[in-house]
Amino acid sequence: MLKVIFILKPGKANKNGESPIFARISHNQQSIDMTTSKRISKERWQFTNNLRNVLKIEKEKVLKHALDIFELNLEKKFNELTKVDPEISLTQLKNEFTGKTKTEGTSILHLIETHNNYFQKKVNTDERSKASFQKYERSKELLTIFMKKQYGIQDISLNEISSAFIYNLESFLKYESVYKGRVGIKNNSVVKYMRMYKTACYYCIRMGLIDKNPFILYDGKLNIKNAVFLTQQELNRIENKMFTTERLERVKDTFLFSCYTGYAPVDASKLTSNNIFQDNNDALWIMTNRTKTAIRANVPVLPPTLKIISKYKDLQIGLIPQISNQKMNAYLKEIADLCGIDKNLTWYVARHTFATTVTLGNGVRIENVSSMMGHTNIKQTQHYAKVLDVNVMEDMEKLKEKYV
């Protein structure tokens, strides 16, 4: 709850003997003072009990009304800001209320840290993934290295960021940055980092810390690559293959589970029996929020999925075996070799297979596929919307009938 009291600062009296009235704002055991731009003499302030008594002088009535309006508007602004971020600071409230939200003097690293601190809270409540937070932290690290190497500075005010700065940053990321001995970052990763800077600035605009986003100038595009997926024949080949080692058998089942549910690694590993629900038609569903997008995604349990869940029903943790992503991809390469599949299998190939072969290839509408995959918009799903030969043939067979 916000608390506002008005105080007088007699030490700053003007030549008329009037001292400034300040608002002392308190919230969550913190306080800050803010000028009201109003004045009154110390004698009248004390005589009227800080303007709390019944006032007879018209000037003091007007002054009391002005302070009431000041407090009302302050509380209104506080309520607006806490709807965006319940942890709003009093400094942010003061800056927003007084209009001191210009970009001058506000550094880019400060803004990114402000956003990342907010994002960390979402991670702590499982609204977003730890991996996404690490990428935002990495983006801050890359920006720091760039400024030091390119301009010999530790930070830069937002109003000093030009289009040259932004595209020099892009060039540095693509061709000069070094990570684990590797020079340069691929285009798609660079575009994602640049979008992270833009996102951080947009957050700070919503918080009233700045009023413009310099990264809105950036227009880099992702290179859309053909997603690797399995055909139904390849999927059957893996399903029918029996492995003598428990390690490969578990990896196979984990991979197939993702093929028939579309769950990404971070989501699949968190599933438990509490995520299984039965509807009024006795159909089973997996219901959860996607960690990456925090969007509710409900997926019906297909027979192959139920078979895998039943196989591991005695697991103490999760619906499927817990396997690290790094080991998973190494084991999948071994499975591909043993099954005669000439494709680089990863857990994400399973997600692509769900979107392409399992759902879209069997006539499931793209809107429903998008919902099950937890996408924020249909464009994300269109990346997976492969035109399969089997669908083309089925449509052409219908067309042939008209020409018989």
Side-chain angles (χ1 to χ4, degrees), residues 88-212:
I88 182 75
S89 72
L90 292 181
T91 300
Q92 290 171 313
L93 171 62
K94 180 180 177 178
N95 289 340
E96 177 68 21
F97 187 74
T98 58
K100 295 179 180 179
T101 57
K102 303 301 179 183
T103 60
E104 185 175 0
T106 305
S107 77
I108 182 60
L109 289 184
H110 171 71
L111 295 176
I112 293 176
E113 287 170 3
T114 299
H115 167 268
N116 289 5
N117 290 338
Y118 166 71
F119 199 92
Q120 175 74 74
K121 296 173 186 176
K122 298 178 79 68
V123 174
N124 293 341
T125 55
D126 291 329
E127 294 179 59
R128 297 300 300 270
S129 71
K130 185 177 180 180
S132 295
F133 173 73
Q134 290 171 341
K135 290 174 184 176
Y136 274 110
E137 286 289 279
R138 175 62 177 157
S139 72
K140 182 180 72 174
E141 179 185 349
L142 287 167
L143 181 58
T144 302
I145 296 171
F146 162 73
M147 289 189 294
K148 185 176 181 180
K149 185 173 181 179
Q150 186 83 9
Y151 297 101
I153 57 177
Q154 300 294 324
D155 205 347
I156 188 172
S157 175
L158 206 65
N159 65 322
E160 295 182 79
I161 294 180
S162 63
S163 60
F165 178 95
I166 291 172
Y167 285 101
N168 281 338
L169 172 59
E170 180 194 41
S171 178
F172 170 80
L173 295 177
K174 278 187 175 182
Y175 309 116
E176 299 177 52
S177 63
V178 180
Y179 183 66
K180 293 184 177 180
R182 186 172 58 202
V183 179
I185 301 174
K186 292 183 179 179
N187 176 78
N188 284 7
S189 294
V190 169
V191 172
K192 290 175 183 178
Y193 279 129
M194 298 297 285
R195 289 179 179 178
M196 287 178 183
Y197 302 132
K198 186 184 293 186
T199 298
C201 288
Y202 273 133
Y203 168 75
C204 291
I205 287 175
R206 293 198 304 272
M207 296 306 299
L209 300 177
I210 57 175
D211 55 13
K212 70 176 183 178

Side-chain angles (χ1 to χ4, degrees), residues 257 263 270-289 296-302 305-306 309 319:
F257 179 89
Y263 277 92
K270 292 181 179 180
L271 295 174
T272 70
S273 57
N274 293 329
N275 296 112
I276 303 294
F277 294 88
Q278 189 172 34
D279 64 19
N280 294 332
N281 297 319
D282 295 329
L284 295 178
W285 292 73
I286 299 176
M287 297 185 177
T288 187
N289 290 330
R296 190 75 172 171
N298 303 332
V299 180
V301 177
L302 298 174
T305 310
L306 182 59
I309 293 174
L319 291 180

Side-chain angles (χ1 to χ4, degrees), residues 167-339:
Y167 285 101
N168 281 338
L169 172 59
E170 180 194 41
S171 178
F172 170 80
L173 295 177
K174 278 187 175 182
Y175 309 116
E176 299 177 52
S177 63
V178 180
Y179 183 66
K180 293 184 177 180
R182 186 172 58 202
V183 179
I185 301 174
K186 292 183 179 179
N187 176 78
N188 284 7
S189 294
V190 169
V191 172
K192 290 175 183 178
Y193 279 129
M194 298 297 285
R195 289 179 179 178
M196 287 178 183
Y197 302 132
K198 186 184 293 186
T199 298
C201 288
Y202 273 133
Y203 168 75
C204 291
I205 287 175
R206 293 198 304 272
M207 296 306 299
L209 300 177
I210 57 175
D211 55 13
K212 70 176 183 178
N213 189 338
F215 286 91
I216 200 170
L217 297 170
Y218 182 73
D219 58 357
K221 305 295 183 183
L222 294 172
N223 293 330
I224 303 301
K225 300 178 180 178
N226 290 331
V228 178
F229 64 94
L230 297 180
T231 65
Q232 188 60 55
Q233 291 75 18
E234 292 168 331
L235 195 55
N236 293 340
R237 206 181 304 167
I238 294 177
E239 282 191 73
N240 296 330
K241 181 72 174 180
M242 299 298 295
F243 297 100
T244 55
T245 61
E246 182 181 358
R247 167 179 58 87
L248 289 182
E249 188 68 16
R250 286 194 167 209
V251 171
K252 179 192 82 169
D253 290 334
T254 303
F255 179 76
L256 291 174
F257 179 89
S258 193
C259 285
Y260 287 111
T261 62
Y263 277 92
V266 67
D267 295 308
S269 62
K270 292 181 179 180
L271 295 174
T272 70
S273 57
N274 293 329
N275 296 112
I276 303 294
F277 294 88
Q278 189 172 34
D279 64 19
N280 294 332
N281 297 319
D282 295 329
L284 295 178
W285 292 73
I286 299 176
M287 297 185 177
T288 187
N289 290 330
R290 300 287 183 173
T291 303
K292 185 176 181 180
T293 58
I295 291 178
R296 190 75 172 171
N298 303 332
V299 180
V301 177
L302 298 174
T305 310
L306 182 59
K307 183 179 178 181
I308 295 169
I309 293 174
S310 300
K311 182 175 179 179
Y312 296 99
K313 64 181 180 181
D314 294 329
L315 279 179
Q316 293 183 347
I317 302 176
L319 291 180
I320 57 176
Q322 304 292 305
I323 304 172
S324 75
N325 217 17
Q326 184 177 6
K327 290 182 179 180
M328 178 74 170
N329 290 335
Y331 297 155
L332 284 175
K333 185 178 185 304
E334 190 176 347
I335 288 176
D337 291 339
L338 293 172
C339 293

Side-chain angles (χ1 to χ4, degrees), residues 368-383:
N368 291 331
V369 177
S370 182
S371 174
M372 288 188 287
M373 297 190 74
H375 286 164
T376 55
N377 58 66
I378 204 74
K379 288 184 179 179
Q380 290 176 278
T381 318
Q382 288 171 341
H383 173 53

